[in-house]
Amino acid sequence: MENNEYLSVGALTKYLKYKFDQDPYLTRVFIKGELSNVKKHTSGHIFFALKDGNAVIRAIMFSRSADGLKFDPENGQSVLIQGRISIYESSGQYQIYVDEMEIDGIGLLFEQLEKDKKELAEKGYFDAVHKKTLPRYPERITIISSETSAAYRDMLTTLRRRYPLVKVSLINTLMQGRGSRQAVIESLENADGLGGDIVILARGGGSIEDLWTFNEKSVAVKVFEMRTPVITGVGHETDTTLVDFLADARAATPTAAAELAVPDRQDIEGSLEKSVTFMMRSIKNRIGTQKNRLEGLSNYYKLKNPGLLYDQQTEKLATLRTNLDTKTGLILRDKRYRQTGMSERVGYRNPGPGIARYKEILYETGMKIDGKMADKIAGKERRLGGTIELLNSLSPTNTLLRGYSFTTKDGDIVRDARALAPGDEIDTRLAKGKVRSKVTEVKKDDRE
């Protein structure tokens, strides 16, 4: 064949792209799948893959369409997509150019999961202060899992290999599907009542639907409320569920949870061997040190002549007694001086003489006051007598007794004859009694 009959890769790709773009069934497609490998570019474009159990297709959503999304795309979300199928010429791969995307099915659960995470985080459920400390050497461990699962067998093998002293109890529990949520909650309640040291909540890997029981808010809150420390080992290493955030410890797998729960026998034996070696070395060093000290003491000259110790202590006691007597004498003498000084100050400030002196002054002052009061009363009595005599002399009664009288008209004293007229009735008051009379004549005073 001639060279001009061969197509270039670019030409073939362009031709296929043209076919794709012209196919009416590919210009508008509706696809459901799970988001994977989501990457958000700074330009606003979103690159990802859409997959199911059988295939994977690359996808891109340009910023003009991504700006209208009502959710934040993340790996694992199940979505419904509308777009067109075409070929990206540079790589020759076909992909879907997404115009619209919305959450579907399990994706809605993911949206609710994010809300639950935010709510529990704001309430402080994730705070480290709530995490209970795992016992270093547990005696009893309760496993919540499926009795027939490989995860339970792996955990049991790991526990027996690492720490055969621990007693293991299993609460066989439905771990997925209808009724699993309530079954796990009831198993947690039962495990908390057994009084064990640790509870392991674990199951093997599976799809997101299989593990969804452990994303339920009620299950996670029950884990948080447990009095017994809880270790979770749900799914594979890449799987993280809501219960992992509220557990006291989280392991990547069920086997890892068993390893986290107990120490390794070999590590303990190695640690014991090191401790024994260290103790033996310490004991030998201590014995050597004490032996050298004993030999040194045995050669001490005072121990060879014990009388020296007695004489030295006797002399020391005598010195201490002398010092005690001297200090006691000094203290007593100082106290006596202080007492004498205080007695003198108290005698100087004795209020007795002053009180006696003021009593004399008070007595003399009282005598003077009594004399002045008597003189003043006598003077007042004399003035009162003179006043009484003066009043008696001016009294109308005394005047009447000397023969005088006074006349009234209609109750008013008559002082001028001109105030009367013939026919007027008048009253004349005498020393004893009064006289009513009628005026027959009025004579005026010639001195007018």
Side-chain angles (χ1 to χ4, degrees):
M1 295 180 65
E2 298 292 333
N3 285 341
N4 57 7
E5 294 181 357
Y6 289 87
L7 293 175
S8 66
V9 175
L12 177 61
T13 304
K14 286 182 179 292
Y15 175 78
L16 293 175
K17 176 176 172 54
Y18 172 80
K19 288 294 185 180
F20 271 64
D21 293 341
Q22 296 299 316
D23 191 333
Y25 294 101
L26 299 180
T27 56
R28 189 68 172 171
V29 296
F30 300 86
I31 304 177
K32 179 172 72 171
E34 180 180 315
L35 295 181
S36 176
N37 198 24
V38 177
K39 295 179 181 179
K40 301 170 186 176
H41 196 269
T42 55
S43 62
H45 306 328
I46 303 176
F47 299 90
F48 57 94
L50 193 67
K51 67 178 182 178
D52 58 15
N54 300 313
V56 179
I57 182 174
R58 291 180 57 184
I60 180 173
M61 190 173 195
F62 293 116
S63 59
R64 63 177 179 272
S65 301
D67 290 339
L69 286 176
K70 297 181 180 179
F71 68 100
D72 192 13
E74 293 182 1
N75 294 330
Q77 291 177 328
S78 180
V79 294
L80 300 176
I81 285 179
Q82 298 182 34
R84 61 184 177 85
I85 304 295
S86 185
I87 292 180
Y88 183 57
E89 292 185 30
S90 296
S91 63
Q93 291 181 329
Y94 83 100
Q95 60 186 18
I96 181 171
Y97 293 84
V98 180
D99 297 323
E100 298 180 12
M101 179 167 57
E102 63 183 31
I103 296 177
D104 175 61
I106 193 68
L108 296 176
L109 294 178
F110 267 108
E111 184 177 7
Q112 182 61 43
L113 175 61
E114 292 303 316
K115 292 180 180 178
D116 292 341
K117 282 184 182 179
K118 183 178 180 181
E119 177 187 350
L120 294 174
E122 290 175 350
K123 291 182 177 180
Y125 278 56
F126 297 168
D127 295 348
V129 68
H130 300 302
K131 305 297 183 183
K132 294 179 282 294
T133 303
L134 301 178
R136 187 173 183 180
Y137 301 106
E139 297 180 3
R140 297 177 59 188
I141 292 178
T142 303
I143 297 177
I144 299 177
S145 189
S146 173
E147 184 177 18
T148 59
S149 66
Y152 170 64
R153 292 192 297 272
D154 291 342
M155 286 187 288
L156 194 59
T157 301
T158 301
L159 292 173
R160 289 174 177 172
R161 172 178 53 82
R162 289 174 59 87
Y163 195 63
L165 296 178
V166 70
K167 298 179 180 178
V168 181
S169 301
L170 170 69
I171 298 181
N172 188 24
T173 307
L174 180 64
M175 304 300 283
Q176 69 182 63
R178 185 184 299 273
S180 59
R181 179 182 63 84
Q182 187 61 32
V184 172
I185 292 176
E186 292 177 356
S187 296
L188 287 168
E189 292 176 350
N190 294 337
D192 212 14
L194 296 178
D197 299 311
I198 294 176
V199 172
I200 298 178
L201 176 63
R203 65 147 292 157
S207 66
I208 189 64
E209 293 87 351
D210 295 337
L211 302 179
W212 197 259
T213 298
F214 304 96
N215 282 321
E216 294 287 351
K217 178 181 176 182
S218 57
V219 176
V221 171
K222 183 58 188 176
V223 169
F224 177 82
E225 295 173 347
M226 292 281 286
R227 298 185 301 273
T228 310
V230 177
I231 301 175
T232 55
V234 178
H236 298 301
E237 187 170 356
T238 57
D239 297 318
T240 302
T241 59
L242 187 58
V243 295
D244 295 325
F245 292 99
L246 276 72
D248 299 296
R250 183 253 176 183
T253 62
T255 302
E259 293 176 350
L260 184 61
V262 296
D264 191 348
R265 177 178 60 184
Q266 295 180 356
D267 294 339
I268 296 175
E269 291 174 352
S271 178
L272 288 175
E273 290 178 359
K274 292 180 180 179
S275 298
V276 170
T277 302
F278 176 77
M279 289 176 62
M280 293 300 294
R281 186 182 300 113
S282 298
I283 291 173
K284 288 180 179 179
N285 293 336
R286 186 70 178 271
I287 291 174
T289 301
Q290 296 300 327
K291 183 178 180 180
N292 293 333
R293 184 181 179 189
L294 180 60
E295 291 177 352
L297 290 173
S298 63
N299 295 324
Y300 189 49
Y301 74 99
K302 289 185 178 180
L303 293 178
K304 293 181 178 180
N305 188 2
L308 294 177
L309 292 174
Y310 174 77
D311 294 340
Q312 183 179 359
Q313 296 301 322
T314 302
E315 183 180 358
K316 185 177 181 180
L317 178 60
T319 302
L320 291 174
R321 182 173 294 171
T322 301
N323 292 338
L324 178 61
D325 293 341
T326 301
K327 289 184 179 180
T328 302
L330 292 174
I331 292 173
L332 291 175
R333 186 177 64 182
D334 181 64
K335 297 296 183 183
R336 290 194 189 98
Y337 287 157
R338 293 182 61 188
Q339 182 180 8
T340 302
M342 292 178 65
S343 299
E344 292 176 354
R345 287 196 296 272
V346 170
Y348 176 76
R349 297 180 181 179
N350 187 5
I355 293 174
R357 185 172 66 256
Y358 282 112
K359 280 185 177 180
E360 292 177 359
I361 295 173
L362 180 61
Y363 177 75
E364 292 175 358
T365 303
M367 294 297 293
K368 291 179 181 179
I369 291 175
D370 290 343
K372 288 183 178 181
M373 288 296 294
D375 293 342
K376 197 163 189 177
I377 290 172
K380 294 292 184 180
E381 288 178 347
R382 288 193 297 272
R383 289 181 62 187
L384 180 60
T387 302
I388 290 173
E389 289 179 359
L390 178 61
L391 290 173
N392 287 334
S393 64
L394 297 175
S395 174
T397 302
N398 289 338
T399 302
L400 293 176
L401 289 174
R402 291 198 300 271
Y404 293 95
S405 63
F406 64 88
T407 302
T408 62
K409 175 186 176 184
D410 299 330
D412 297 328
I413 297 176
V414 180
R415 294 182 176 83
D416 191 346
R418 288 177 296 183
L420 299 176
D424 290 341
E425 292 186 352
I426 58 176
D427 295 319
T428 302
R429 180 72 179 181
L430 305 174
K432 294 183 179 180
K434 68 178 180 177
V435 176
R436 177 176 289 275
S437 58
K438 183 179 290 186
V439 178
T440 58
E441 182 181 357
V442 176
K443 293 182 178 181
K444 299 181 179 179
D445 194 344
D446 295 336
R447 293 176 295 183
E448 293 183 354

